[in-house]
Amino acid sequence: MSDYSESDAQRQVSDLEKKSATAARLFDIRRIIGGLFVVYGVIVTIAGITASDADLTKAGGININLWTGLGMLALGLFFLAWLWLRPLPPTTPETPAEEQAPPTA
C-alpha cells in the first residue's frame, strides 16, 4: 500500500498551485520590463543631465541622452502603473466533486 492518502495528494496539489500563482505574480513580465526601463532610464537621464558641450555638438545640438532617458522612464512607469492598476487575478484551485458541500434545500 502507498503511504499517501487522497487527501495528502490533494493538499500537495493545492500547495503547489498556491506557489505557482505566487511565482506568476512575482515574475509578471510587466514588472520585469517596467523595472528595467526605470533603472536604465535613470542612468541615461543622468548621463543626459551631465552631458558636455562636445557631446551636444556631436548630436547636432540635441541632448539625445536626456530625451531617451526621459522616454525610458515614462515607458517604465507606464508598465509599473499598468501592473498596479490591473494586477493578475488570483487563481482559485478547482475542488473535486466529492469535497464540495451538497446544496441545502
Side-chain angles (χ1 to χ4, degrees):
M1 283 245 124
S2 70
D3 294 336
Y4 294 108
S5 67
E6 183 69 27
S7 63
D8 289 336
Q10 288 295 330
R11 188 173 51 247
Q12 287 179 350
V13 167
S14 66
D15 289 343
L16 288 174
E17 286 175 345
K18 288 177 188 174
K19 288 179 185 179
S20 175
T22 302
R25 279 193 298 277
L26 181 64
F27 294 110
D28 188 0
I29 194 73
R30 297 174 293 180
R31 180 185 315 263
I32 295 169
I33 291 174
L36 285 175
F37 267 98
V38 167
V39 169
Y40 291 146
V42 167
I43 292 169
V44 175
T45 301
I46 291 172
I49 291 171
T50 61
S52 66
D53 289 336
D55 293 334
L56 294 176
T57 305
K58 281 187 212 176
I62 299 171
N63 195 344
I64 194 71
N65 282 340
L66 179 64
W67 289 109
T68 303
L70 291 174
M72 292 173 77
L73 273 172
L75 183 64
L77 292 174
F78 167 75
F79 272 95
L80 294 176
W82 180 21
L83 176 70
W84 182 68
L85 292 172
R86 295 193 134 227
L88 287 177
T91 58
T92 56
E94 296 178 16
T95 57
E98 58 268 0
E99 288 185 3
Q100 293 178 352
T104 58

